[in-house]
């Protein structure tokens, strides 16, 4: 019963968030500031994904109880880590879709549907979850580089 209630709550929150993002996109376009919408969508998505990635990374990558069991199987460690990063990417991609698709619809309603902008939005949705991840890795790499000096 509890899992069903949480699922319904997540769906409700996703619908509210999508409506809010559509309203922002529609409002900016109505005010003649539609050129702001793509950057705003990418910024909102990246900041929220960065925040939640910092919260989830410890539990998904480091505090897992299944790592010892998985390393006992004939699976490369690289594959295990890649699967954990893939699960984080899929979770972040779901958030990017909930935010960026309504904003894309609001943007396209005012500017007219164009194949170039649709491709731009599609690529933005696919790569938006990777931006915070890469910035986090670059930061960790720079810190570890300075520790060696």
């Amino acid at each position: 019963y509890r899992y069903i209630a949480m699922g319904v709550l997540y769906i409700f929150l996703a619908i509210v968030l999508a409506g809010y993002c559509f309203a922002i996109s529609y409002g900016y376009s109505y005010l003649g500031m539609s050129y702001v919408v793509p950057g705003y969508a990418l910024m909102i998505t990246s900041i929220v994904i960065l925040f939640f990635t910092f919260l989830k990374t410890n539990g998904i990558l480091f505090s897992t109880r299944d790592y010892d069991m998985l390393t006992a199987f004939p699976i490369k460690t690289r594959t295990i880590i890649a699967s954990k990063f893939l699960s984080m990417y899929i979770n972040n991609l779901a958030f990017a879709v909930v935010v960026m698709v309504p904003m894309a619809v609001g943007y396209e309603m005012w500017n007219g549907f164009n194949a170039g902008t649709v491709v731009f939005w599609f690529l933005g949705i696919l790569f938006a979850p990777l931006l915070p991840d890469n910035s986090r890795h670059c930061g960790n790499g720079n810190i570890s580089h300075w520790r060696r000096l």
Side-chain angles (χ1 to χ4, degrees):
Y1 173 72
R2 182 172 49 179
Y3 294 119
I4 294 172
M6 286 300 290
V8 169
L9 180 66
Y10 283 153
I11 291 171
F12 174 73
L13 289 175
I15 291 170
V16 169
L17 179 64
Y20 177 70
C21 290
F22 175 78
I24 287 174
S25 174
Y26 191 83
Y28 274 132
S29 297
Y30 179 77
L31 293 174
M33 297 174 53
S34 62
Y35 58 89
V36 176
V37 173
Y40 193 70
L42 191 61
M43 182 189 67
I44 290 173
T45 304
S46 295
I47 289 172
V48 174
I49 286 175
L50 180 67
F51 177 73
F52 283 117
T53 299
F54 276 131
L55 293 178
K56 290 186 297 187
T57 300
N58 189 28
I60 292 176
L61 294 179
F62 306 118
S63 300
T64 57
R65 297 178 192 154
D66 63 346
Y67 185 74
D68 293 333
M69 182 182 67
L70 290 173
T71 54
F73 291 120
I75 302 172
K76 293 181 183 178
T77 305
R78 172 185 247 165
T79 307
I80 295 169
I81 300 301
S83 70
K84 292 181 182 291
F85 274 108
L86 182 65
S87 71
M88 284 184 7
Y89 173 75
I90 290 172
N91 286 335
N92 293 340
L93 183 65
F95 179 77
V97 166
V98 168
V99 170
M100 292 184 79
V101 167
M103 291 190 94
V105 170
Y107 177 83
E108 296 292 331
M109 283 176 63
W110 278 93
N111 295 322
F113 285 93
N114 184 358
T117 57
V118 171
V119 168
F120 168 77
W121 281 103
F122 181 73
L123 291 175
I125 290 168
L126 288 180
F127 288 113
L130 297 176
L131 292 175
D133 242 8
N134 289 334
S135 66
R136 182 177 48 86
H137 292 305
C138 292
N140 290 340
N142 290 336
I143 291 170
S144 65
H145 170 73
W146 288 108
R147 278 191 213 159
R148 284 185 257 149
L149 295 178

